[in-house]
Amino acid sequence: MRRTAMGFAVIAFMFVLFAAVVLAQQAKMPAPDTLPDGPRIFDSSRRGPSGRLIPGPQFRVVPMKGLSHPYALAFLPDGNVLITERAGRIRIVRNGVLDPTPIAGMPAIPNRNLQGLNDIALHPRFVENQWVYFTYYREKPGDKEAAAVVLARGRFDGKAVTEIRDIFVTDTMVAGASAARFVFGRDGKIYLAIGVPLPNNGRAGLATMSDAQDPSSHFGKILRLNDDGSVPLDNPFAGRAGYKRELYALGIRNAMAIIVHPVTGEIWENENGPQGGDEINIIRGGRNYGWPTVSFGRSYTGDLTGASGPALDQYTAPGMEPPWLFWAPSIGLSGMTFYTGDQFPEWKGSIFVGGLVGEQLQRVVLNANGLPIRRDPLLAELKQRIREVRQGPDGLLYLLTDEDAGALLRIEPVGPATAAGH
Amino acid sequence: MRRTAMGFAVIAFMFVLFAAVVLAQQAKMPAPDTLPDGPRIFDSSRRGPSGRLIPGPQFRVVPMKGLSHPYALAFLPDGNVLITERAGRIRIVRNGVLDPTPIAGMPAIPNRNLQGLNDIALHPRFVENQWVYFTYYREKPGDKEAAAVVLARGRFDGKAVTEIRDIFVTDTMVAGASAARFVFGRDGKIYLAIGVPLPNNGRAGLATMSDAQDPSSHFGKILRLNDDGSVPLDNPFAGRAGYKRELYALGIRNAMAIIVHPVTGEIWENENGPQGGDEINIIRGGRNYGWPTVSFGRSYTGDLTGASGPALDQYTAPGMEPPWLFWAPSIGLSGMTFYTGDQFPEWKGSIFVGGLVGEQLQRVVLNANGLPIRRDPLLAELKQRIREVRQGPDGLLYLLTDEDAGALLRIEPVGPATAAGH
């Protein structure tokens, strides 16, 4: 009997182990294709052009699931995090936990054609004034395809957004995929990038690809605004006939990130090309960044006539700024940060960018002169569309995944080599 | 007792299952990082720029291990395969089995600085004359760093190579990584691409990066030779002062593939850029392909002065051919084939290229006009440096991996959808 009892105990034990292993394996099997539920360790070492190993730190990816197509995030002074979802919600991570209830007070924002709620940022003096800013696409009444791009602001008291007001609205509209990202410059002005649609999404009276070269349109531009949405008097094209007063720079396709360089204070922007031609640009007032006249990309259709994108071999042109760096083919550049933290000493001074179609985080390694010397793909194993890349106040990296089952990913050091950074 | 016996039987059963699962899991765990020993199935479906699924066929990768840094392969008329290894060996796959004994008769070829034995091809009338051609780096006596590039031929009787003769030898030498690939054109001539070293591998009296623009040097060129190594009288620079008579095209960095277009008969070549600037070129007689004057890449050091690569924003120049397609950053383009087989109907008309530093096979999808519309990375999960890409006479794809534990990979269809192709 004792033997039988022990037999059963062993059976039970084995069964539990077996079940655990099967479950673990089932959880693991799709791992190359889906985001794991728990933390996972990666090695950033890679092999260089000749095959020799270039060592890099290990890092741990800690996912926080429960988001739908998150787009942008803002770190609050108390360490909490605001996250926009394309479908019009602002979510909050409070004390490390994602609140299932969205922030109250937001208007209804339709989520169509990759439009919806986009970027979010706090006023530089948020502690004093509680202003939070966001961009979204406001549907034309009675026309579900056309939308104006809106920069709005409201007050955030930790629970709800109130006093929301649309402080800038484009005077024409757009159909189809576009993006609206913004940043506060060191001069306190808002630099707002407004994208143009793909050529096949043009409609009479709406913005088209060629708006990016049209100074009388807000689309395909970097705009410069005061913090109340009014137009600064010292804008580069102020008073110039045929130019919108808000214009700061022209020839932008679809900016996916616009940030301030942590040392120089320059405005850095990145954007997607169609089939190649993703760019990082340093945005200077009054300059023209070339889309769709010049690009290192081609039309999605392969067309090189110039009708649906740059013509064959139109890479540069007089009076148009070449990118600081470009990609071909496209990785769907999206999200960007200069890493300045202490958590990963080896990564200090590198640029990190996200890839949508490229499903990766990419580290752009710079030399002592700040020029790129290498680009290391990271996290390709996860097969996640990376939408946003930010450095947290804790010196860790935070990513958002552009997925139906989207997530916030925290990237933190592993082991003794980097634990000193904590 | 019966219960106890059953208990033990169940324990034993569970234990076997448990062990099998653990072993299976252990076997599976390193799979994303190393080449599996047996066949493995992959799905070529991927997500496009907006995240929508682009379906693609499944395929099976069948590895044949036991090669060390295989470089190139040639299909024999009897279905067997000759494979060069960088260390100077020619191996043979006979009736689907890799012979552990290399082909006899080869000279000693040192394997240094990524040099060694490179390319191999059969004479177009091999069945009649048994000529096999190969390229290798022949060390300067007493100087282990300097080597001449040699095109040799010998007769292959199925067992050994005999009557080996060096039919073309560069009259200067090179130190450091370089490559020498060749193809027989439809005109029966040999198109031989000879690479230039990296800037830091230059030495007095040896080829340097700038040889690619020097018409009196064989390096950084496409040469055109008769099948006995002599110079055709109708070469484009024939009789021109200061030009080597062998020259067909200039401005080549390091060609990693040179092939004949299956329809047009044009010579297509690809090459690596340093940090970006990988190119596919259509090689035309008398043309200049720009290296190191122009490129879509940058120096590995980030230097943009022009001293160690193209200067800043020198992408194109009058009289220099832009590439047919380029990559930035570099994937270490290597190996190339136009897929014309029936085994993968969906892939017909695509170009397949290998990636060394990019550790992938890449499919370049063309539109009806033969222009590129998309580049799909494949096999990145294997983390293998792909050196060679060829279509076999059976319509399957064959790859070589540039690894210490290198392999021949056969890519074949899976399941009923493509089984009809067999």
Side-chain angles (χ1 to χ4, degrees):
Chain A
M1 274 301 278
R2 274 186 64 201
R3 251 187 151 168
T4 306
M6 204 178 85
F8 275 110
V10 172
I11 287 174
F13 175 73
M14 295 302 291
F15 186 77
V16 167
L17 257 182
F18 172 73
V21 168
V22 168
L23 286 172
Q25 196 194 14
Q26 280 174 344
K28 194 157 283 162
M29 279 186 69
D33 300 323
T34 60
L35 188 65
D37 286 323
R40 190 168 154 193
I41 291 172
F42 292 83
D43 193 327
S44 67
S45 302
R46 58 165 298 190
R47 295 193 292 176
S50 69
R52 228 167 308 172
L53 196 74
I54 303 172
Q58 283 199 313
F59 60 93
R60 185 185 296 110
V61 174
V62 184
M64 178 179 290
K65 295 190 166 185
L67 296 161
S68 167
H69 292 282
Y71 203 101
L73 59 81
F75 296 98
L76 291 161
D78 59 7
N80 291 341
V81 190
L82 295 178
I83 301 173
T84 56
E85 291 178 312
R86 213 169 61 205
R89 293 176 293 267
I90 299 179
R91 307 289 298 274
I92 186 164
V93 180
R94 274 200 190 86
N95 305 317
V97 178
L98 177 64
D99 191 331
T101 308
I103 297 297
M106 288 291 287
I109 298 174
N111 175 19
R112 292 195 187 89
N113 303 325
L114 302 180
Q115 300 175 346
L117 177 60
N118 280 14
D119 212 353
I120 188 165
L122 309 183
H123 191 284
R125 296 191 309 278
F126 173 82
V127 173
E128 302 156 38
N129 61 26
Q130 298 186 314
W131 284 126
V132 58
Y133 293 71
F134 55 91
T135 48
Y136 72 99
Y137 284 75
R138 196 172 71 186
E139 211 170 84
K140 183 178 178 181
D143 183 350
K144 289 191 173 171
E145 291 301 317
V149 182
V150 178
L151 173 66
R153 78 170 176 187
R155 288 197 204 270
F156 179 63
D157 61 6
K159 285 172 189 161
V161 188
T162 56
E163 301 177 49
I164 292 177
R165 199 164 64 85
D166 296 344
I167 62 170
F168 171 81
V169 184
T170 54
D171 61 358
T172 51
M173 298 199 177
V174 66
S178 175
R181 301 212 67 163
F182 67 100
V183 68
F184 280 90
R186 287 204 184 155
D187 57 1
K189 307 301 181 193
I190 296 168
Y191 294 82
L192 169 60
I194 298 186
V196 287
L198 298 181
N200 55 344
N201 285 318
R203 251 179 61 191
L206 301 184
T208 66
M209 177 181 78
S210 57
D211 273 43
Q213 290 294 326
D214 177 358
S216 72
S217 165
H218 288 127
F219 288 87
K221 308 292 172 353
I222 310 287
L223 310 182
R224 182 169 175 264
L225 304 171
N226 291 317
D227 68 354
D228 62 356
S230 64
V231 184
L233 296 178
D234 60 347
N235 267 0
F237 299 108
R240 192 147 150 197
Y243 281 72
K244 284 268 187 265
R245 295 180 312 137
E246 296 88 352
L247 264 52
Y248 187 70
L250 293 81
I252 302 297
R253 187 170 177 262
N254 244 318
M256 294 295 186
I258 183 163
I259 62 174
V260 173
H261 189 286
V263 176
T264 65
E266 296 163 321
I267 305 293
W268 285 53
E269 172 256 16
N270 77 34
E271 56 186 87
N272 280 200
Q275 187 201 157
D278 293 5
E279 302 181 346
I280 293 180
N281 294 302
I282 306 176
I283 301 295
R284 299 197 166 94
R287 305 286 179 93
N288 187 326
Y289 291 82
W291 183 258
T293 309
V294 294
S295 166
F296 292 97
R298 294 174 182 230
S299 156
Y300 286 117
T301 61
D303 168 45
L304 297 172
T305 62
S308 58
L312 178 61
D313 299 338
Q314 293 300 302
Y315 304 119
T316 56
M320 294 188 175
E321 302 298 310
W324 180 79
L325 189 63
F326 66 89
W327 279 253
S330 182
I331 64 163
L333 216 55
S334 187
M336 173 163 66
T337 198
F338 285 91
Y339 186 72
T340 61
D342 293 322
Q343 300 272 8
F344 291 100
E346 300 95 325
W347 289 352
K348 217 163 180 164
S350 291
I351 299 173
F352 285 84
V353 290
L356 291 167
V357 70
E359 295 176 351
Q360 63 188 271
L361 176 69
Q362 201 170 97
R363 175 185 170 213
V364 182
V365 185
L366 309 186
N367 68 12
N369 300 320
L371 292 169
I373 55 170
R374 210 173 76 226
R375 284 173 258 184
D376 288 355
L378 299 167
L379 294 184
E381 299 89 336
L382 292 180
K383 296 191 183 295
Q384 296 284 299
R385 289 166 61 85
I386 304 298
R387 165 66 76 184
E388 178 60 309
V389 182
R390 294 282 182 182
Q391 180 180 321
D394 53 8
L396 301 176
L397 283 173
Y398 290 83
L399 318 182
L400 293 173
T401 65
D402 176 43
E403 302 284 351
D404 293 339
L408 172 69
L409 308 182
R410 188 175 76 237
I411 297 188
E412 55 183 38
V414 178
T418 43
H422 279 287
Chain B
M1 276 301 282
R2 273 187 64 202
R3 251 186 153 168
T4 307
M6 205 178 82
F8 275 111
V10 171
I11 288 175
F13 175 71
M14 296 299 291
F15 186 80
V16 167
L17 257 181
F18 172 73
V21 168
V22 168
L23 286 172
Q25 196 194 13
Q26 282 175 343
K28 197 158 282 166
M29 281 185 68
D33 300 324
T34 59
L35 187 65
D37 285 326
R40 190 167 154 193
I41 291 173
F42 292 82
D43 193 327
S44 67
S45 302
R46 57 164 298 188
R47 295 193 291 177
S50 69
R52 228 167 308 172
L53 196 75
I54 303 172
Q58 284 199 311
F59 59 94
R60 184 184 297 112
V61 174
V62 185
M64 177 178 291
K65 295 190 165 185
L67 296 161
S68 167
H69 291 282
Y71 204 102
L73 60 80
F75 296 98
L76 292 161
D78 59 9
N80 292 341
V81 190
L82 294 177
I83 301 173
T84 56
E85 292 178 311
R86 212 168 63 203
R89 294 176 292 267
I90 298 179
R91 307 288 299 272
I92 186 165
V93 179
R94 275 201 189 85
N95 304 316
V97 178
L98 177 64
D99 191 331
T101 309
I103 296 298
M106 288 292 285
I109 298 175
N111 174 20
R112 292 193 187 90
N113 304 324
L114 302 180
Q115 300 175 347
L117 177 59
N118 280 14
D119 211 354
I120 188 165
L122 309 183
H123 191 284
R125 295 191 309 279
F126 172 83
V127 175
E128 302 157 38
N129 60 29
Q130 298 187 315
W131 285 125
V132 59
Y133 293 71
F134 55 90
T135 49
Y136 73 99
Y137 284 75
R138 194 173 73 187
E139 211 169 84
K140 184 179 177 181
D143 183 349
K144 288 188 174 174
E145 291 303 316
V149 182
V150 178
L151 173 67
R153 78 170 178 188
R155 290 195 203 270
F156 180 62
D157 62 6
K159 286 172 189 160
V161 187
T162 56
E163 300 177 49
I164 292 178
R165 199 164 64 86
D166 296 342
I167 61 169
F168 170 80
V169 183
T170 55
D171 61 358
T172 51
M173 298 198 178
V174 68
S178 175
R181 301 211 68 163
F182 66 99
V183 67
F184 280 91
R186 287 204 185 156
D187 57 1
K189 307 301 181 191
I190 296 168
Y191 293 82
L192 169 61
I194 298 185
V196 286
L198 298 181
N200 56 345
N201 284 318
R203 252 179 60 190
L206 301 184
T208 68
M209 177 182 77
S210 57
D211 274 43
Q213 291 293 328
D214 176 358
S216 72
S217 165
H218 289 127
F219 288 88
K221 308 292 174 354
I222 310 287
L223 310 181
R224 182 168 174 266
L225 304 170
N226 292 316
D227 69 354
D228 62 356
S230 64
V231 184
L233 297 178
D234 60 349
N235 268 0
F237 299 107
R240 193 148 150 197
Y243 281 71
K244 284 267 189 265
R245 296 181 308 139
E246 297 89 351
L247 263 54
Y248 187 71
L250 292 81
I252 302 297
R253 186 170 180 263
N254 245 319
M256 293 294 187
I258 185 164
I259 62 174
V260 173
H261 188 287
V263 176
T264 65
E266 294 163 321
I267 305 294
W268 285 53
E269 173 256 16
N270 76 34
E271 56 188 87
N272 281 203
Q275 186 200 157
D278 292 5
E279 302 181 345
I280 294 179
N281 294 301
I282 306 175
I283 301 295
R284 299 196 166 93
R287 304 286 179 92
N288 187 327
Y289 291 83
W291 182 259
T293 309
V294 294
S295 166
F296 292 97
R298 293 176 183 230
S299 156
Y300 285 117
T301 62
D303 168 47
L304 298 171
T305 62
S308 58
L312 177 61
D313 300 337
Q314 294 299 303
Y315 304 119
T316 56
M320 293 188 176
E321 303 298 311
W324 180 79
L325 189 64
F326 66 90
W327 279 252
S330 182
I331 65 164
L333 216 55
S334 188
M336 175 164 65
T337 198
F338 286 90
Y339 187 72
T340 60
D342 294 320
Q343 300 271 9
F344 291 101
E346 300 94 326
W347 289 354
K348 218 164 180 165
S350 291
I351 299 174
F352 286 83
V353 291
L356 290 166
V357 69
E359 294 176 350
Q360 65 189 269
L361 175 68
Q362 200 170 99
R363 176 186 169 211
V364 182
V365 186
L366 309 187
N367 67 12
N369 300 320
L371 292 169
I373 55 169
R374 208 172 79 225
R375 285 173 257 184
D376 289 354
L378 299 167
L379 294 183
E381 299 90 336
L382 291 180
K383 296 193 183 294
Q384 297 284 300
R385 291 166 59 86
I386 304 297
R387 166 65 77 184
E388 178 60 308
V389 181
R390 294 282 182 181
Q391 181 179 320
D394 52 9
L396 301 175
L397 283 172
Y398 290 84
L399 318 182
L400 294 172
T401 66
D402 176 42
E403 303 284 352
D404 292 340
L408 172 68
L409 307 182
R410 188 176 74 237
I411 296 187
E412 55 182 37
V414 178
T418 41
H422 279 288

